[in-house]
Amino acid sequence: MDPSEVEFLAEKEMVTIISNFSLDKMYLIGGDLGPFNPGLPVNVPLWLALNLKQRQKCRIVPPEWMDVEKLEEIREQERKEETFTPIPNPHYMELTKLLLNHASDNIPKADEIRTLVKDIWDTRVAKLRLSADSFISQLEAHAKLDNLTLMEINTTRTFLLDSLNSMYKLRASLQPQPAAKGHHY
Amino acid sequence: MFLTDIRKEFYDVVVNQRVALFVSSDVDALCACKILQALFHCDHVQYTLVPVTGWQDLGTAFLEHKEQIKLLIKQDDDLGIPAYDDIFRDEEEDAEDSGNESDSNSEPSGKRTRFDEGAVERRIERQRAKREWEARRREILFDYEQYEYHGTSSAMVIFELSWVMTKDTKDMLWWAIIGLADQWVHDKITHMKYVTDIATLQRHVSRHSHHNEDEENSLSIDCMRICFEYDLRLSLYQHWSLYESICNSCYTTSSFKLWSMHGQKKLQEFLADMGLPLKQVRQKFNSMDISIKENLRDVIEESSNKYGMKDIRIQTFSVHFGFKNKFLAGDVVHAAAALLENVEKEENPSDNFIRALDSLSRYAKLSLSTAPERYTPAGVPDLSTLHRSKLDQLHCGIELAKKKLIAIQQTVASCICTNLILSQGPFLYCCLMEGTPDVKLFSKTLALTLLCKYLLKSFVRSTRNKRCKLLPLIMTAPMDVEKGTVIVLGIPPESETSDKKNFFGRAFEKAAESTGSRTLHDNFDTFVIELKTEDRSKFLDALITLLS
């Protein structure tokens, strides 16, 4: 999977916006989009929020977890634990990137949030690498990882699978050929 | 087209159609164009952008697009407009007649049909009234076209439109500021008007920037911040060294008379008076000592008062985004103008236009984004998505502007020292010969206008002849060597209370007619024309007789 595909999937997440125009309820295939009234908050998918923001038709309200103290707590917890901690949103990385690129004027302390999210990401990806490394070197048969997000899985997917395939091929060529049945010497 | 309500009569009409946008080659028009482009992007209006350099260009482009499009918008600098009712009859105008509608900022098209109705007596009565009216109209139009001057910046007008529709953003505000600064840099409006317009813009700036100061919710450093500055009148000083800037800004060179040895000495005294060591002052501004930079403006103001420069500071705005990008409005104007009239490489005008347009936008997306676009197998993010081309254009423009300013100052110095400016009676005349260094730069309108204004200001300071100080200046410079033409430009006399009205347009036309000189009055600014070199002397003689 391409990272841009993952980002595309992330755009289905709902965010709150405050529009400055009015429109009746829209009925789309994916679901209904509530009536828009100027000055009132409404929940919409991220792709629509970004489009409206670029056309200057709304103001985006940052999600609750996108807050300096909360993110600092999460980062501390992540650094302490060996395993992956649960994170507030399965697409935290994509959301951060999209919102901070397009709507940074609606998000207070945007620079600090960017740094904090990057720290959390770095810690998690490092853990993932460690665990993949030990998985391969100890020739484990199965592993279980909780609380991983799609984007993180996507970073190791190709590498992990390819390397496991290569290891399997190498191991298979070391095995002695089994005697063919039905041949008597 | 005269408009009273720009939103209903202009934007709402335009927003549902395909639009052709003809933009003339000056910085104010560029800014208005950017604001309109941003508005069109918001509302998904399809448009075609066509840069034009003069009336002929406009005509050809209009004919090319005539088949497809019904409504045209042309942007230009504002020319003074007399009252609506004095020129046109309200009723029965043929809308189809003038397919070429310009926005409220340009001259009347003058093509209106009027229907006469009624019985014979009434007809005679009407005819008499019509003749009177025609006579009055001719008089008014003559008055109108006699003097050319500039009204409100078109960028500001379009910004007001966007504000009325509450679609204004900081970017648009910044472009409106640049449009106004362009009018001031090229000396198109009076000081009073400039200060009034600055006050208007200041209201918008404070409206947009009330978020910045909040400790709790400080904005990202990448967001654009616009601030009001009461800054020095030294061109490009923050991107140059202070010394160079002082030597190449019109105000300081004319006050100190830096073309003479005496002037150079005075400059050294001035610097010593402020306590600025020469080594510091010659360094790039950003590398100067912090302790010097802190109070620089006040220190300079104090000292310049002693040396007779009372207005060394001027009200303006600056923009601030990212960690190292700080630009004053005047800097951007110089950069964009230099890019528009770039003669260094053999590029065609539309490339220069696009480059100048690009230099006005600021998006250089530094991808410090935490979700990298590409992954190498080791999972290390790939930061090669750094994309800086538009800011680079601005820096390139600043470098070109520096060269242009240096060339202007050197030309001014040589003209004054070699007494190239001659009084012809009713006006001063200066002619740039073929072999003068950087003369290619001055074949373009904006550069030549700047040169003219600086030259006149400096000349007024340097001459003792009281009469000469009140004369206007006409300048000629070679325009196109192959075609054998020169560019002729006239500016009004230099005075404190000048209302910046320029009467040379009409004067040039009349002189050309009377002598049969081959001229081209193609420029949107009527005080600039192209003339065949051979006809130069008889043209000037005609002008002398005309104006005395």
Side-chain angles (χ1 to χ4, degrees):
Chain A
M1 243 190 181
D2 207 35
S4 45
E5 288 176 29
V6 180
E7 189 180 76
F8 180 71
L9 290 174
E11 285 178 347
K12 273 173 65 177
E13 294 287 312
M14 303 298 269
V15 291
T16 317
I17 62 164
I18 299 182
S19 70
N20 62 18
F21 62 100
S22 60
L23 193 60
D24 289 329
K25 211 166 177 186
M26 279 201 283
Y27 301 97
L28 305 179
I29 291 179
D32 297 342
L33 288 177
F36 294 93
N37 292 307
L40 294 180
V42 60
N43 282 340
V44 296
L46 183 63
W47 56 268
L48 183 62
L50 291 177
N51 182 285
L52 290 176
K53 173 76 186 168
Q54 282 171 332
R55 287 158 63 192
Q56 293 157 47
K57 286 183 158 27
C58 77
R59 184 165 70 84
I60 298 190
V61 173
E64 309 168 310
W65 53 267
M66 207 179 262
D67 169 64
V68 174
E69 284 108 26
K70 290 217 178 82
L71 287 174
E72 272 176 354
E73 265 180 51
I74 295 174
R75 179 182 64 171
E76 290 318 310
Q77 225 190 347
E78 195 71 49
R79 283 180 176 168
K80 279 195 308 212
E81 308 266 329
E82 294 258 324
T83 55
F84 297 92
T85 57
I87 31 138
N89 188 299
H91 290 107
Y92 73 98
M93 198 60 204
E94 302 88 300
L95 273 180
T96 317
K97 180 204 167 209
L98 288 170
L99 287 179
L100 290 179
N101 277 354
H102 297 284
S104 57
D105 49 338
N106 291 145
I107 300 181
K109 302 205 181 153
D111 297 328
E112 297 175 27
I113 291 183
R114 212 192 284 262
T115 329
L116 285 169
V117 170
K118 178 114 175 63
D119 287 342
I120 296 175
W121 166 269
D122 284 340
T123 321
R124 293 172 70 96
V125 164
K127 284 188 201 167
L128 185 57
R129 253 183 272 138
L130 266 178
S131 114
D133 186 50
S134 67
F135 178 70
I136 294 178
S137 56
Q138 291 165 27
L139 299 178
E140 308 265 350
H142 70 273
K144 179 171 177 228
L145 295 165
D146 291 329
N147 300 325
L148 266 186
T149 65
L150 184 56
M151 192 62 135
E152 287 150 5
I153 297 174
N154 198 44
T155 55
T156 47
R157 188 198 314 261
T158 28
F159 175 65
L160 191 59
L161 295 179
D162 280 346
S163 52
L164 287 174
N165 275 338
S166 311
M167 304 270 317
Y168 175 73
K169 277 189 213 146
L170 289 172
R171 268 204 300 270
S173 66
L174 283 178
Q175 305 267 4
Q177 295 296 335
K181 277 192 174 161
H183 271 201
H184 296 288
Y185 287 91
Chain B
M1 198 166 92
F2 290 102
L3 300 168
T4 35
D5 181 348
I6 195 170
R7 177 183 185 170
K8 288 207 272 291
E9 297 172 28
F10 171 63
Y11 197 73
D12 286 345
V13 171
V14 154
V15 84
N16 296 319
Q17 318 214 14
R18 250 205 83 181
V19 179
L21 204 56
F22 290 166
V23 186
S24 73
S25 311
D26 72 81
V27 184
D28 188 19
L30 282 182
C31 295
C33 166
K34 291 254 7 146
I35 303 182
L36 263 184
Q37 275 184 317
L39 282 175
F40 286 167
H41 281 159
C42 276
D43 290 324
H44 299 303
V45 177
Q46 287 182 312
Y47 66 96
T48 323
L49 185 62
V50 185
V52 292
T53 46
W55 295 105
Q56 283 185 350
D57 234 5
L58 180 61
T60 13
F62 172 60
L63 288 173
E64 273 175 35
H65 288 89
K66 193 174 179 175
E67 309 310 313
Q68 308 157 15
I69 310 165
K70 283 183 277 186
L71 191 67
L72 306 177
I73 310 169
K74 173 169 80 76
Q75 280 152 332
D76 204 4
D77 271 331
D78 210 342
L79 301 175
I81 329 172
Y84 175 79
D85 287 324
D86 287 338
I87 308 235
F88 301 114
R89 295 263 171 159
D90 284 345
E91 70 259 83
E92 297 141 34
E93 56 203 21
D94 221 4
E96 290 308 289
D97 208 8
S98 41
N100 181 6
E101 292 184 70
S102 320
D103 71 359
S104 61
N105 305 332
S106 63
E107 296 179 21
S109 58
K111 291 192 274 233
R112 304 273 184 191
T113 56
R114 288 158 55 239
F115 303 114
D116 269 64
E117 290 166 347
V120 178
E121 313 84 48
R122 275 203 300 156
R123 180 169 296 168
I124 295 178
E125 176 61 37
R126 273 186 188 250
Q127 276 177 349
R128 192 175 61 80
K130 176 181 167 184
R131 271 196 292 274
E132 267 178 27
W133 187 88
E134 285 264 329
R136 242 187 80 216
R137 177 175 182 271
R138 266 199 299 272
E139 207 183 283
I140 292 179
L141 270 182
F142 178 74
D143 276 340
Y144 166 66
E145 283 165 7
Q146 181 184 45
Y147 280 95
E148 179 193 332
Y149 58 99
H150 291 269
T152 318
S153 144
S154 47
M156 275 182 67
V157 172
I158 310 263
F159 177 74
E160 302 268 316
L161 165 68
S162 73
W163 175 53
V164 159
M165 298 194 294
T166 56
K167 290 199 174 154
D168 57 324
T169 57
K170 279 192 191 161
D171 282 296
M172 293 186 194
L173 178 56
W174 178 239
W175 289 323
I177 292 175
I178 298 180
L180 177 63
D182 168 59
Q183 288 196 316
W184 181 74
V185 163
H186 292 109
D187 213 12
K188 293 181 188 166
I189 52 176
T190 60
H191 190 68
M192 271 317 306
K193 175 118 182 57
Y194 176 71
V195 171
T196 331
D197 285 344
I198 288 266
T200 325
L201 284 177
Q202 167 64 357
R203 287 200 285 276
H204 290 291
V205 166
S206 32
R207 184 169 54 89
H208 275 278
S209 61
H210 69 272
H211 291 305
N212 295 356
E213 308 315 316
D214 200 351
E215 269 310 308
E216 291 277 305
N217 303 325
S218 54
L219 276 185
S220 159
I221 194 76
D222 284 329
C223 286
M224 184 188 232
R225 285 172 169 80
I226 303 181
C227 334
F228 176 78
E229 307 262 355
Y230 190 39
D231 213 334
L232 299 169
R233 220 192 238 201
L234 300 171
S235 333
L236 297 174
Y237 80 95
Q238 290 179 355
H239 304 273
W240 221 347
S241 68
L242 193 60
Y243 186 75
E244 294 268 339
S245 182
I246 295 181
C247 292
N248 290 309
S249 305
C250 170
Y251 189 66
T252 39
T253 33
S254 55
S255 310
F256 282 131
K257 303 200 187 75
L258 280 180
W259 51 84
S260 62
M261 286 310 303
H262 178 66
Q264 297 281 351
K265 284 212 199 96
K266 263 179 86 177
L267 174 62
Q268 306 287 357
E269 270 177 41
F270 175 68
L271 291 172
D273 185 60
M274 291 194 289
L276 298 176
L278 260 184
K279 222 177 75 159
Q280 285 293 327
V281 154
R282 282 188 194 263
Q283 263 196 359
K284 260 187 75 126
F285 188 78
N286 287 331
S287 331
M288 267 171 79
D289 253 354
I290 291 279
S291 52
I292 299 185
K293 276 199 278 192
E294 262 169 16
N295 282 332
L296 190 64
R297 289 184 220 167
D298 297 317
V299 163
I300 290 191
E301 184 170 20
E302 234 182 271
S303 296
S304 33
N305 277 331
K306 290 189 219 160
Y307 283 82
M309 295 189 287
K310 305 271 184 236
D311 302 312
I312 190 88
R313 285 173 86 162
I314 187 77
Q315 292 133 331
T316 182
F317 295 96
S318 73
V319 76
H320 202 136
F321 51 93
F323 283 103
K324 70 172 186 162
N325 299 312
K326 178 162 192 246
F327 298 102
L328 288 173
D331 301 343
V332 182
V333 168
H334 278 294
L339 279 175
L340 256 186
E341 300 192 329
N342 187 4
V343 292
E344 292 208 344
K345 303 179 211 164
E346 291 307 313
E347 292 180 9
N348 60 33
S350 28
D351 279 342
N352 285 342
F353 181 84
I354 300 288
R355 283 180 76 192
L357 207 57
D358 274 347
S359 75
L360 289 175
S361 36
R362 66 180 173 102
Y363 274 108
K365 283 260 191 212
L366 299 189
S367 348
L368 298 174
S369 65
T370 42
E373 305 295 331
R374 297 202 291 277
Y375 278 77
T376 60
V380 171
D382 190 349
L383 286 177
S384 63
T385 44
L386 285 179
H387 170 61
R388 291 172 160 260
S389 67
K390 294 193 175 171
L391 265 192
D392 274 351
Q393 294 287 15
L394 186 55
H395 287 295
C396 182
I398 290 184
E399 296 301 313
L400 285 175
K402 288 183 196 170
K403 288 191 200 154
K404 183 167 120 181
L405 284 174
I406 295 180
I408 290 182
Q409 285 309 131
Q410 284 173 349
T411 318
V412 165
S414 73
C415 282
I416 295 191
C417 292
T418 56
N419 286 326
L420 267 182
I421 309 179
L422 308 162
S423 163
Q424 301 284 355
F427 56 84
L428 297 166
Y429 172 67
C430 179
C431 170
L432 285 184
M433 304 308 314
E434 200 49 34
T436 327
D438 303 311
V439 80
K440 245 178 60 173
L441 209 61
F442 301 123
S443 61
K444 305 276 181 182
T445 322
L446 289 178
L448 191 58
T449 322
L450 266 187
L451 173 64
C452 240
K453 302 231 177 223
Y454 288 9
L455 186 57
L456 189 56
K457 287 201 173 91
S458 308
F459 179 74
V460 158
R461 295 291 191 130
S462 77
T463 182
R464 302 224 184 153
N465 188 334
K466 284 218 177 355
R467 231 195 112 246
C468 277
K469 296 200 194 205
L470 303 170
L471 293 178
L473 172 65
I474 293 188
M475 207 152 171
T476 60
M479 186 164 191
D480 192 335
V481 182
E482 294 142 9
K483 287 199 283 183
T485 55
V486 290
I487 179 172
V488 182
L489 188 147
I491 56 171
E494 167 71 23
S495 82
E496 293 292 317
T497 53
S498 153
D499 54 4
K500 316 280 178 195
K501 292 197 185 188
N502 196 320
F503 53 84
F504 277 110
R506 272 277 176 252
F508 284 167
E509 274 179 30
K510 289 223 172 101
E513 268 176 50
S514 61
T515 56
S517 318
R518 293 158 287 177
T519 54
L520 192 59
H521 299 260
D522 186 39
N523 206 299
F524 290 123
D525 289 320
T526 53
F527 54 85
V528 179
I529 64 166
E530 198 176 339
L531 171 69
K532 281 273 184 199
T533 330
E534 302 91 33
D535 299 334
R536 185 168 45 189
S537 29
K538 58 177 175 166
F539 181 78
L540 283 170
D541 291 332
L543 263 181
I544 296 176
T545 35
L546 192 64
L547 293 174
S548 36

